[in-house]
Amino acid sequence: MTTISWIVLVICVLLVLAWYLSYSAARLDRLHAKVEGALSALDAHVVRRAEASLELANSGAIDPASGFLLAAAASESLERVNERTFESDLLEGQHFAGRESVESELTEVLHAALPGQVVTDITAEGGPGAAALERVREAGLRVQLARRFHNEAVKEVQRVRAKRVVRLFRLAGYADLPRTVEFDDTLPG
């Protein structure tokens, strides 16, 4: 092969490599955006669950002691969201800001306040208590789905960022590695 042929071959290889790196960086950027969107959706659903729990606590459908505990746990969840809103960007660092323990506590209180018999009684009575209970169930289901979707997106980003090409050429830049969100989100009753 002549010198010109070698030069053309090297240029073609460099162009293919540049295209591959550009494609990989764009894909990684889209995956990070997907994680941010999923975290935002999870945050919104957690807020809805706390609001629905607060509504149930104030509906009078459960006993006053359980209602007080539920209202306290739901208020704590809402306060953590508001603290985070005033401090900084909600998605900074792509993490849940240590709110996992607060959300797990809300789930525990929901389970304690809503054993099977109480759920059956509230549903049989109907009225505002039954509507609030249904809202808590729907919000809890959406939290489960949003958390699962977020964690799957995070795992995909982690898988792509573990590739040698991504690490070697620093295609992720200085973006933090997103983390999964783990808390108890099982539904009561």
Side-chain angles (χ1 to χ4, degrees):
M1 282 179 56
T2 65
T3 306
I4 300 279
S5 299
W6 279 107
I7 292 173
V8 169
L9 182 64
V10 168
I11 289 174
C12 287
V13 168
L14 288 176
L15 285 175
V16 168
L17 180 65
W19 173 83
Y20 177 73
L21 291 175
S22 173
Y23 171 79
S24 297
R27 179 172 182 247
L28 192 56
D29 186 52
R30 284 191 308 271
L31 288 173
H32 275 279
K34 182 178 177 182
V35 167
E36 288 178 3
L39 184 62
S40 179
L42 176 60
D43 187 61
H45 290 300
V46 163
V47 168
R48 285 188 192 107
R49 181 177 82 146
E51 289 171 347
S53 298
L54 197 55
E55 180 184 334
L56 178 64
N58 294 327
S59 71
I62 57 178
D63 65 278
S66 296
F68 178 76
L69 291 174
L70 185 57
S75 296
E76 175 67 22
S77 176
L78 290 172
E79 286 174 13
R80 288 295 292 267
V81 171
N82 290 338
E83 285 174 10
R84 186 103 199 280
T85 302
F86 293 122
E87 287 176 8
S88 64
D89 182 21
L90 285 174
L91 302 175
E92 185 176 326
Q94 298 178 353
H95 57 81
F96 206 54
R99 288 174 34 208
E100 289 92 344
S101 61
V102 173
E103 298 306 325
S104 290
E105 182 180 326
L106 177 57
T107 301
E108 289 175 21
V109 172
L110 280 168
H111 281 285
L114 298 171
Q117 185 59 40
V118 171
V119 170
T120 304
D121 293 344
I122 293 172
T123 306
E125 288 176 13
L133 178 63
E134 185 59 30
R135 191 164 169 231
V136 168
R137 282 184 183 160
E138 290 174 0
L141 181 61
R142 289 183 178 164
V143 165
Q144 286 179 336
L145 294 173
R147 190 177 69 83
R148 189 174 306 141
F149 184 73
H150 172 265
N151 288 347
E152 288 173 4
V154 167
K155 288 175 185 172
E156 181 67 16
V157 168
Q158 290 172 345
R159 185 186 66 75
V160 170
R161 285 185 60 172
K163 291 182 178 182
R164 286 185 190 168
V165 170
V166 173
R167 287 182 312 204
L168 179 66
F169 290 99
R170 296 193 46 84
L171 297 180
Y174 295 101
D176 291 336
L177 185 65
R179 298 179 308 205
T180 59
V181 173
E182 302 299 333
F183 63 88
D184 183 14
D185 59 3
T186 57
L187 298 173

